[in-house]
Amino acid sequence: MLTNECTEIYPYFTFQRISEKKLEEIQKILEMEELEEKKEDPRLLCKQCKNIITSQENAIFINGNHLHIFTNPSGVIFEIGCFSIAEGCINHGQPTFDFTWFPGFAWRFCLCSNCRNHMGWFYQSSTEGSFYGLISANLIKGGNP
């Protein structure tokens, strides 16, 4: 029973008797809200200018992997991630099959649409569709651009 001292500070209507089931429901709602707040920003930005390039939600698997490591003819090593969409990129140059890392796919350079930083390559095939191979080192995660 509430004492007079307690009811003077907190009126009766602020106290409710709730069932254990209701308490569990409230706890689950609070946990879900907390998880939503902690969710990582899925955007991937240009490391140079912070332009939004794509999202982790656009990550795809090509030849069984999302990430690939390749060496170009000059000996430069690249780690790239594959993405279905990269709206923050512009594609540059004529498609070529020369030195392609993905047999059957022609490639073009893709650049940041804001600062023109080299972001990777756009791959296209007449039978397999298209995707972006973006250089991991040129992307940063989330945050406000």
Side-chain angles (χ1 to χ4, degrees), residues 70-126:
F70 295 112
T71 305
N72 74 6
S74 299
V76 179
I77 299 171
F78 293 95
E79 177 186 80
I80 65 170
C82 299
F83 296 88
S84 58
I85 300 169
E87 292 176 342
C89 286
I90 55 172
N91 302 326
H92 179 72
Q94 293 297 316
T96 181
F97 288 96
D98 293 347
F99 305 107
T100 186
W101 291 327
F102 297 95
F105 286 86
W107 60 269
R108 301 166 52 176
F109 292 105
C110 64
L111 312 173
C112 172
S113 62
N114 186 55
C115 71
R116 305 299 190 256
N117 186 31
H118 179 214
M119 299 308 299
W121 300 267
F122 176 70
Y123 290 92
Q124 58 193 87
S125 166
S126 59

Side-chain angles (χ1 to χ4, degrees), residues 33-44:
E33 288 174 356
E34 188 176 330
L35 285 175
E36 285 295 318
E37 289 174 10
K38 288 183 179 179
K39 264 190 180 173
E40 187 176 301
D41 186 343
R43 297 177 301 169
L44 295 171

Side-chain angles (χ1 to χ4, degrees), residues 39-54:
K39 264 190 180 173
E40 187 176 301
D41 186 343
R43 297 177 301 169
L44 295 171
L45 315 177
C46 172
K47 185 177 183 178
Q48 184 167 304
C49 73
K50 312 300 185 279
N51 183 40
I52 299 170
I53 300 298
T54 189

